[in-house]
Amino acid sequence: MSERLLAVLHGCNLNMLGERDPAHYGRQTLTELETLVKEHAARSGFSACLCFQTNHEGELVEQIQKLRLSAAAVIINPGAWTHYSYAIHDALELVRSPVVEVHLSDVAHRQEEWRRRSVISDVCDRTISGKGTEGYLEAVSWLAERTAGPEGKLET
Ligand code: DQA
């Protein structure tokens, strides 16, 4: 049986979770969040879960390109790149699998106007925001169901 890979991609400043503005991002560290996501991915039928974070835009583009054919499903939170990176938009366009955009905070209703716009939403299958860590778990469940075959098994 071939590998069912879930890729969980994080952009700039998300390595600072736990320390960053807890009112918007909660108190959990990225490592704690990734552990919960990995556990839920395993429960949901993914055979592997790759977690990747970078503060360099080109590295995220390269990671997306690398995964474009091999991932069964992708979760992405690009951080501030969400709001202006056409390079990440164009890389996501190459991804064959379903992609869910996740934000910890409710970006559509935040004070800064520039945060309310996402330039990647149109190349994602779904956007979940404002649900904190729960949003990631919801994305995993949705993607597991979306990529499941007729018997509830993940499709080859
Ligand atoms: C974020 C929201 C972005 O506006 C911000 O730049 C982030 C995190 C979120 O998860 O709520 O870094 O993507």
Side-chain angles (χ1 to χ4, degrees):
M1 215 178 58
S2 60
E3 190 181 66
R4 302 279 161 266
L5 174 68
L6 171 67
V8 182
L9 309 178
H10 283 103
C12 48
N13 294 308
L14 287 155
N15 56 318
M16 299 310 285
L17 288 180
E19 192 178 316
R20 252 184 110 183
D21 188 358
H24 282 117
Y25 306 120
R27 298 205 176 268
Q28 215 153 39
T29 64
L30 183 60
T31 307
E32 287 164 351
L33 186 149
E34 286 175 344
T35 301
L36 291 173
V37 170
K38 278 182 183 165
E39 283 167 5
H40 193 53
R43 274 197 301 272
S44 305
F46 289 102
S47 62
C49 178
L50 170 104
C51 294
F52 176 84
Q53 188 277 332
T54 180
N55 293 318
H56 303 278
E57 188 180 4
E59 278 183 11
L60 185 54
V61 167
E62 281 174 0
Q63 188 63 58
I64 296 167
Q65 289 178 358
K66 233 186 256 175
L67 290 161
R68 73 190 191 282
L69 308 173
S70 57
V74 174
I75 292 175
I76 186 161
N77 180 352
W81 293 324
T82 304
H83 312 297
Y84 64 89
S85 176
Y86 299 118
I88 291 170
H89 171 283
D90 287 356
L92 286 171
E93 227 170 7
L94 293 162
V95 175
R96 297 271 176 86
S97 68
V99 179
V100 177
E101 172 188 5
V102 176
H103 300 285
L104 292 153
S105 66
D106 185 3
V107 277
H109 297 100
R110 287 202 37 196
Q111 203 185 347
E112 305 98 326
E113 207 177 317
W114 57 268
R115 276 194 214 276
R116 299 185 202 145
R117 173 170 177 250
S118 165
V119 300
I120 67 156
S121 290
D122 71 305
V123 286
C124 295
D125 298 275
R126 206 182 149 190
T127 298
I128 299 172
S129 57
K131 297 184 174 179
T133 308
E134 265 311 306
Y136 285 83
L137 305 184
E138 192 177 319
V140 172
S141 298
W142 189 81
L143 285 164
E145 210 168 294
R146 177 82 193 261
T147 53
E151 280 130 47
K153 299 215 174 92
L154 292 175
E155 218 145 62
T156 39

